Coordinates of all heavy atoms in Angstrom, one line a residue:
T1225 N 161.8 79.8 135.8 CA 162.2 81.0 136.6 C 161.1 82.1 136.5 O 160.9 82.8 137.5 CB 163.5 81.5 136.1 OG1 164.4 80.4 136.0 CG2 164.1 82.5 137.1
G1226 N 160.5 82.2 135.3 CA 159.5 83.2 135.2 C 158.2 82.9 135.8 O 157.2 83.7 135.8
Q1227 N 158.0 81.7 136.4 CA 156.8 81.2 137.1 C 155.6 81.3 136.2 O 154.5 81.8 136.6 CB 156.7 82.1 138.4 CG 157.9 82.1 139.2 CD 157.7 82.6 140.7 OE1 156.8 83.2 141.0 NE2 158.6 82.1 141.5
V1228 N 155.7 80.8 135.0 CA 154.6 80.8 134.1 C 154.1 79.3 133.9 O 153.0 79.1 133.4 CB 154.8 81.4 132.7 CG1 155.2 82.8 132.8 CG2 155.9 80.6 132.0
T1229 N 154.8 78.3 134.4 CA 154.5 76.9 134.1 C 153.6 76.4 135.3 O 153.5 77.1 136.3 CB 155.7 76.0 134.1 OG1 156.4 76.1 135.3 CG2 156.7 76.5 132.9
P1230 N 153.0 75.2 135.1 CA 152.3 74.6 136.3 C 153.3 74.3 137.4 O 154.5 74.4 137.2 CB 151.8 73.3 135.7 CG 151.7 73.5 134.2 CD 152.9 74.5 133.9
L1231 N 152.7 74.0 138.6 CA 153.6 73.6 139.7 C 153.7 72.1 139.7 O 152.8 71.3 139.5 CB 152.9 74.0 141.0 CG 152.6 75.5 141.2 CD1 151.6 75.7 142.3 CD2 153.9 76.1 141.6
A1232 N 154.9 71.6 139.9 CA 155.2 70.2 140.0 C 155.8 69.9 141.3 O 156.7 70.6 141.8 CB 156.1 69.8 138.9
K1233 N 155.4 68.7 141.9 CA 156.1 68.3 143.2 C 157.3 67.5 142.8 O 157.2 66.5 142.1 CB 155.1 67.5 144.0 CG 155.8 67.1 145.3 CD 154.9 67.0 146.5 CE 155.6 66.7 147.8 NZ 154.8 66.4 148.9
M1234 N 158.4 68.0 143.2 CA 159.7 67.4 142.7 C 160.8 67.8 143.7 O 160.7 68.7 144.5 CB 160.0 67.9 141.3 CG 160.1 69.4 141.2 SD 160.4 69.9 139.5 CE 160.2 71.7 139.6
Y1235 N 161.9 67.1 143.5 CA 163.1 67.6 144.2 C 163.6 68.8 143.5 O 163.8 68.8 142.3 CB 164.2 66.5 144.2 CG 163.9 65.5 145.3 CD1 163.1 64.4 145.1 CD2 164.4 65.7 146.6 CE1 162.8 63.5 146.1 CE2 164.2 64.8 147.6 CZ 163.3 63.7 147.3 OH 163.0 62.8 148.3
T1236 N 163.8 69.9 144.2 CA 164.1 71.2 143.6 C 165.0 72.0 144.4 O 165.0 71.9 145.6 CB 162.8 72.0 143.3 OG1 163.1 73.3 142.7 CG2 162.0 72.3 144.6
L1237 N 165.8 72.8 143.7 CA 166.7 73.8 144.4 C 166.0 75.2 144.4 O 166.7 76.2 144.9 CB 168.0 73.8 143.7 CG 168.8 72.5 143.7 CD1 170.0 72.5 142.7 CD2 169.3 72.2 145.1
G1238 N 164.8 75.2 143.9 CA 164.1 76.5 143.8 C 164.2 77.1 142.4 O 165.3 77.1 141.8
N1239 N 163.0 77.6 141.9 CA 163.0 78.0 140.5 C 164.0 79.2 140.3 O 164.3 79.5 139.1 CB 161.6 78.3 140.1 CG 161.0 79.4 140.9 OD1 161.3 80.6 140.7 ND2 160.1 79.1 141.8
G1240 N 164.4 79.9 141.3 CA 165.3 81.0 141.2 C 166.7 80.6 141.3 O 167.6 81.5 141.3
F1241 N 167.0 79.3 141.5 CA 168.4 78.9 141.7 C 169.2 79.1 140.4 O 168.7 78.8 139.3 CB 168.4 77.4 142.0 CG 169.8 76.8 142.2 CD1 170.6 77.0 143.3 CD2 170.4 76.1 141.1 CE1 171.8 76.5 143.4 CE2 171.6 75.5 141.2 CZ 172.4 75.7 142.4
M1242 N 170.3 79.8 140.6 CA 171.1 80.1 139.4 C 172.3 79.2 139.4 O 173.3 79.4 140.2 CB 171.6 81.6 139.4 CG 170.6 82.5 138.8 SD 170.4 82.4 137.0 CE 168.9 83.3 136.8
P1243 N 172.3 78.2 138.5 CA 173.5 77.3 138.6 C 174.7 77.9 138.1 O 174.7 78.9 137.3 CB 173.0 76.2 137.6 CG 172.0 76.8 136.7 CD 171.4 77.9 137.5
S1244 N 175.8 77.4 138.5 CA 177.1 77.9 138.2 C 177.4 77.7 136.7 O 177.2 76.6 136.1 CB 178.2 77.1 138.9 OG 179.4 77.2 138.2
P1245 N 177.7 78.8 136.0 CA 178.0 78.7 134.5 C 179.2 77.8 134.2 O 179.4 77.4 133.1 CB 178.1 80.1 134.0 CG 178.5 80.9 135.3 CD 177.9 80.2 136.4
N1246 N 180.1 77.6 135.2 CA 181.3 76.9 134.9 C 181.1 75.4 135.0 O 182.1 74.6 134.9 CB 182.5 77.4 135.7 CG 182.4 77.0 137.2 OD1 181.4 76.4 137.6 ND2 183.4 77.4 138.0
H1247 N 179.9 74.9 135.2 CA 179.7 73.4 135.1 C 179.3 73.1 133.7 O 178.3 73.5 133.2 CB 178.7 72.9 136.1 CG 178.9 71.5 136.3 ND1 179.5 70.9 137.4 CD2 178.5 70.4 135.5 CE1 179.5 69.6 137.3 NE2 178.9 69.3 136.1
A1248 N 180.1 72.2 133.1 CA 179.9 71.8 131.7 C 178.6 71.0 131.6 O 178.3 70.1 132.4 CB 181.1 71.0 131.2
G1249 N 177.9 71.2 130.5 CA 176.9 70.3 130.1 C 175.5 70.6 130.6 O 175.3 71.6 131.3
G1250 N 174.6 69.7 130.3 CA 173.2 70.0 130.5 C 172.5 69.4 131.7 O 171.4 69.0 131.7
L1251 N 173.2 69.4 132.8 CA 172.6 68.8 134.0 C 172.3 69.9 135.0 O 172.3 69.7 136.2 CB 173.6 67.8 134.7 CG 174.0 66.6 133.8 CD1 175.0 65.7 134.5 CD2 172.7 65.8 133.4
R1252 N 172.0 71.1 134.5 CA 172.0 72.3 135.4 C 170.5 72.8 135.7 O 170.3 73.9 136.0 CB 172.8 73.5 134.8 CG 174.2 73.3 135.0 CD 175.0 74.4 134.4 NE 174.7 74.4 132.9 CZ 175.5 75.0 132.1 NH1 176.5 75.6 132.4 NH2 175.1 75.0 130.8
Y1253 N 169.6 71.9 135.6 CA 168.2 72.3 135.8 C 167.9 72.3 137.3 O 168.4 71.4 138.0 CB 167.3 71.3 135.1 CG 165.8 71.6 135.1 CD1 165.3 72.8 134.6 CD2 164.9 70.8 135.7 CE1 164.0 73.1 134.7 CE2 163.6 71.0 135.8 CZ 163.1 72.3 135.3 OH 161.8 72.6 135.4
H1254 N 167.0 73.2 137.8 CA 166.8 73.4 139.2 C 166.0 72.3 139.8 O 166.0 72.0 141.0 CB 166.2 74.7 139.5 CG 164.8 74.9 139.1 ND1 164.4 75.4 137.8 CD2 163.6 74.6 139.6 CE1 163.1 75.4 137.7 NE2 162.6 74.9 138.8
G1255 N 165.2 71.6 139.0 CA 164.3 70.6 139.5 C 164.6 69.2 138.9 O 165.7 69.0 138.3
M1256 N 163.7 68.2 139.2 CA 163.9 66.9 138.7 C 162.5 66.3 138.3 O 161.5 66.7 139.0 CB 164.5 66.0 139.9 CG 164.8 64.6 139.6 SD 165.9 64.4 138.2 CE 167.4 65.2 138.7
S1257 N 162.5 65.5 137.3 CA 161.2 64.9 136.9 C 160.4 64.4 138.1 O 160.9 63.7 139.0 CB 161.6 63.7 136.0 OG 160.8 62.5 136.3
P1258 N 159.1 64.7 138.1 CA 158.2 64.3 139.2 C 158.2 62.7 139.4 O 158.2 62.2 140.5 CB 156.8 64.8 138.8 CG 157.1 66.0 138.0 CD 158.4 65.7 137.2
I1259 N 158.3 62.0 138.2 CA 158.3 60.5 138.3 C 159.6 60.1 139.1 O 159.6 59.3 140.0 CB 158.2 59.9 136.9 CG1 156.8 60.0 136.4 CG2 158.7 58.4 137.0 CD1 156.7 59.5 135.0
I1260 N 160.8 60.6 138.6 CA 162.0 60.3 139.2 C 162.0 60.7 140.7 O 162.5 60.0 141.6 CB 163.2 60.9 138.5 CG1 163.3 60.5 137.1 CG2 164.5 60.7 139.3 CD1 163.9 59.1 136.9
S1261 N 161.5 61.9 141.0 CA 161.4 62.4 142.3 C 160.7 61.4 143.2 O 161.1 61.1 144.3 CB 160.8 63.8 142.4 OG 161.6 64.7 141.7
Q1262 N 159.5 61.0 142.7 CA 158.6 60.2 143.6 C 159.3 58.8 143.8 O 159.3 58.2 144.9 CB 157.2 60.0 142.9 CG 156.2 59.3 143.8 CD 155.8 60.2 145.0 OE1 155.6 61.3 144.8 NE2 155.8 59.6 146.2
L1263 N 159.9 58.2 142.7 CA 160.5 56.9 142.8 C 161.7 57.0 143.8 O 161.9 56.1 144.6 CB 161.0 56.4 141.5 CG 159.9 56.0 140.5 CD1 160.5 55.8 139.1 CD2 159.2 54.7 140.9
Y1264 N 162.4 58.1 143.8 CA 163.5 58.3 144.7 C 163.0 58.4 146.1 O 163.5 57.8 147.1 CB 164.3 59.5 144.3 CG 165.5 59.8 145.2 CD1 166.5 58.9 145.4 CD2 165.6 61.1 145.8 CE1 167.6 59.2 146.3 CE2 166.6 61.4 146.6 CZ 167.6 60.5 146.9 OH 168.7 60.8 147.7
H1265 N 161.9 59.3 146.3 CA 161.4 59.5 147.6 C 160.9 58.2 148.2 O 161.0 58.0 149.4 CB 160.2 60.5 147.4 CG 159.7 61.0 148.7 ND1 160.4 61.9 149.5 CD2 158.5 60.8 149.4 CE1 159.7 62.2 150.6 NE2 158.6 61.5 150.6
D1266 N 160.3 57.3 147.4 CA 159.8 56.0 147.9 C 160.8 54.9 147.9 O 160.5 53.8 148.2 CB 158.6 55.6 147.0 CG 157.4 56.5 147.1 OD1 157.3 57.2 148.1 OD2 156.6 56.5 146.2
G1267 N 162.1 55.2 147.6 CA 163.1 54.3 147.8 C 163.3 53.3 146.6 O 164.0 52.3 146.6
H1268 N 162.5 53.5 145.5 CA 162.6 52.6 144.3 C 163.9 53.0 143.5 O 164.4 52.1 142.9 CB 161.4 52.7 143.5 CG 160.2 52.1 144.1 ND1 160.2 50.9 144.7 CD2 158.9 52.7 144.4 CE1 159.0 50.6 145.2 NE2 158.2 51.7 145.0
I1269 N 164.3 54.2 143.6 CA 165.6 54.6 143.1 C 166.4 54.6 144.4 O 166.1 55.3 145.3 CB 165.7 56.0 142.4 CG1 164.9 55.9 141.1 CG2 167.1 56.4 142.2 CD1 164.7 57.2 140.4
D1270 N 167.5 53.7 144.4 CA 168.1 53.4 145.7 C 169.0 54.5 146.2 O 169.1 54.7 147.4 CB 168.9 52.1 145.5 CG 168.1 51.0 145.1 OD1 167.5 50.3 145.9 OD2 167.9 50.8 143.8
E1271 N 169.6 55.2 145.2 CA 170.6 56.2 145.7 C 170.8 57.3 144.7 O 170.6 57.1 143.5 CB 172.0 55.4 145.8 CG 173.1 56.3 146.4 CD 174.5 55.6 146.2 OE1 174.5 54.4 146.0 OE2 175.5 56.4 146.4
A1272 N 171.0 58.5 145.2 CA 171.5 59.6 144.4 C 172.9 60.0 144.8 O 173.1 60.0 146.0 CB 170.5 60.8 144.5
R1273 N 173.7 60.3 143.9 CA 175.1 60.6 144.2 C 175.5 61.9 143.5 O 175.3 62.0 142.3 CB 176.0 59.4 143.8 CG 177.2 59.3 144.8 CD 178.1 58.1 144.4 NE 177.5 56.8 144.7 CZ 178.1 55.6 144.5 NH1 179.3 55.6 143.8 NH2 177.6 54.5 144.8
A1274 N 176.1 62.8 144.2 CA 176.6 64.0 143.5 C 178.1 63.9 143.3 O 178.8 63.4 144.2 CB 176.3 65.2 144.4
V1275 N 178.6 64.3 142.1 CA 180.0 64.1 141.8 C 180.5 65.5 141.3 O 179.8 66.3 140.8 CB 180.2 63.0 140.7 CG1 180.0 61.7 141.3 CG2 179.4 63.3 139.5
E1276 N 181.8 65.6 141.6 CA 182.5 66.9 141.3 C 183.1 66.9 139.9 O 183.5 65.9 139.4 CB 183.5 67.2 142.3 CG 182.9 67.5 143.7 CD 183.9 67.8 144.7 OE1 185.1 68.2 144.4 OE2 183.6 67.6 145.9
Q1277 N 183.1 68.1 139.3 CA 183.4 68.2 137.9 C 184.8 67.7 137.5 O 185.0 67.0 136.5 CB 183.3 69.7 137.5 CG 183.7 70.0 136.1 CD 183.0 71.1 135.5 OE1 182.1 71.0 134.7 NE2 183.4 72.3 135.8
G1278 N 185.8 67.9 138.4 CA 187.2 67.4 138.1 C 187.2 65.9 138.0 O 187.8 65.4 137.1
S1279 N 186.5 65.2 138.9 CA 186.6 63.8 138.9 C 185.7 63.2 137.7 O 186.0 62.2 137.2 CB 186.1 63.2 140.2 OG 184.7 63.4 140.4
V1280 N 184.7 64.0 137.3 CA 183.9 63.6 136.1 C 184.8 63.6 134.9 O 184.7 62.7 134.1 CB 182.7 64.6 136.0 CG1 182.1 64.4 134.6 CG2 181.7 64.3 137.1

Side-chain angles (χ1 to χ4, degrees):
T1225 313
Q1227 308 196 337
V1228 299
T1229 61
L1231 297 164
K1233 184 150 184 189
M1234 57 185 175
Y1235 281 87
T1236 177
L1237 297 167
N1239 62 75
F1241 177 77
M1242 277 289 166
S1244 155
N1246 70 358
H1247 196 102
L1251 302 176
R1252 283 177 302 200
Y1253 183 62
H1254 69 271
M1256 184 55 65
S1257 134
I1259 288 178
I1260 297 286
S1261 294
Q1262 190 67 47
L1263 289 170
Y1264 177 59
H1265 192 70
D1266 293 340
H1268 292 308
I1269 292 174
D1270 302 273
E1271 186 189 342
R1273 212 179 284 180
V1275 290
E1276 293 179 23
Q1277 179 149 256
S1279 70
V1280 165

